[in-house]
Amino acid sequence: MNTLWSALLVGFGGSIGTLLRYGIGRLATANGKPGFYGTLFVNLTGSLAMGVFIGLQLEQEHLEIYAIAGIGILGGFTTYSTLNVQKATMFAKGPKRTLVFYLVATYVGGFVFTASGVGLGYLIHT
Amino acid sequence: MKIAIGIAIAGFLGAVARYGAGFLFPYDAGSTGFPWATLFINLSGSFLLGSLTGWLMRRNDLAWLGEVFGTGFLGSFTTFSAFNGQMWQLWEHHAYAQAMSYLLLSAVGGWLLAMVGLRWGRGKPL
């Protein structure tokens, strides 16, 4: 697979993932939820899906699908910049309990979701 | 509708930029190599989004720029799914020191850079 073609696949997936993340963020705030709910949702579900892809050996066995779905869609769907700006904003103002909840849910939750996804992926793969 | 098209294009470009940055720091997921590329992407993206968010606090007329460049481009450029995938791979290879360093650099470093960016964007001294 040449580099230009993979870059196009990654970009195409990135558009889809980004639009989904934007839509979910809009939906969360439209329902009166705090802004970080949307980010937490995309980051946790995206980490679960990344784990499944690792378990399925997608990067080793189906590189084109991995370029669209793994690097493109999941990379565009999940985000780290918004997470860090939210951490900074919540630290400056707002209840510290919410910040602690957000940190634990994101980092512990993200790792547990990825690990569970890997297990699930292995089961499907073998 | 116009904003969705802008976000889709920005998401495309953000994902391609992330894919391209991966070539600057080659990383082999099958070894215990350190994921420098993703770290660089997530740290620089957090600083840029902080700066943009801070600057937009002074410019109420440019909310679309925050959605297209912030949510679209920087949101797609940075990634949480790859971060967790790499955390899992380091863990699986018993590279616990690397995993802990990666977690701290990403989580604390990105947080600090977002705070510095927010201050700088609002026109306050660093």
Side-chain angles (χ1 to χ4, degrees):
Chain A
M1 187 167 54
N2 75 57
T3 309
L4 183 64
W5 177 238
S6 357
L8 282 173
L9 295 178
V10 166
F12 176 66
S15 281
I16 298 172
T18 305
L19 280 173
L20 286 171
R21 171 166 46 79
Y22 178 68
I24 288 169
R26 287 281 297 259
L27 205 66
T29 45
N31 282 299
K33 299 274 187 276
F36 72 87
Y37 270 48
T39 313
L40 185 61
F41 179 82
V42 296
N43 279 344
L44 290 184
T45 50
S47 298
L48 176 73
M50 178 54 90
V52 173
F53 290 177
I54 293 173
L56 286 174
Q57 305 277 312
L58 218 55
E59 193 176 1
Q60 289 76 27
E61 296 172 13
H62 304 279
L63 200 52
E64 293 203 346
I65 299 174
Y66 185 73
I68 297 186
I71 311 178
I73 297 180
L74 290 186
F77 188 61
T78 62
T79 182
Y80 214 135
S81 47
T82 306
L83 166 64
N84 275 323
V85 170
Q86 283 164 340
K87 276 152 65 181
T89 314
M90 286 160 88
F91 183 71
K93 54 178 182 201
K96 295 289 176 287
R97 280 184 56 167
T98 316
L99 175 63
V100 172
F101 164 76
Y102 190 33
L103 289 174
V104 173
T106 298
Y107 289 101
V108 179
F111 192 78
V112 170
F113 270 61
T114 303
S116 319
V118 173
L120 200 63
Y122 275 133
L123 283 177
I124 303 169
H125 186 256
T126 50
Chain B
M1 191 60 206
K2 254 174 27 188
I3 203 85
I5 294 168
I7 283 173
I9 295 170
F12 185 100
L13 296 174
V16 172
R18 172 162 40 80
Y19 183 64
F23 291 105
L24 298 176
F25 313 87
Y27 167 70
D28 177 8
S31 75
T32 52
F34 199 79
W36 291 109
T38 312
L39 181 66
F40 166 77
I41 287 162
N42 283 339
L43 291 184
S44 58
S46 297
F47 174 74
L48 288 174
L49 187 67
S51 309
L52 177 71
T53 309
W55 186 68
L56 288 175
M57 285 172 184
R58 300 188 280 163
R59 295 294 306 263
N60 298 326
D61 53 326
L62 291 174
W64 66 270
L65 192 67
E67 299 210 306
V68 172
F69 189 70
T71 308
F73 182 83
L74 293 174
S76 175
F77 182 57
T78 60
T79 174
F80 191 70
S81 50
F83 165 78
N84 270 316
Q86 291 151 349
M87 281 291 290
W88 166 258
Q89 269 144 355
L90 289 172
W91 197 266
E92 200 187 20
H93 286 95
H94 309 289
Y96 304 116
Q98 278 104 318
M100 277 302 137
S101 320
Y102 186 41
L103 172 66
L104 283 176
L105 285 168
S106 301
V108 182
W111 189 343
L112 291 174
L113 282 166
M115 281 171 84
V116 170
L118 277 165
R119 274 187 73 85
W120 185 57
R122 288 166 68 197
K124 305 206 166 167
L126 296 176

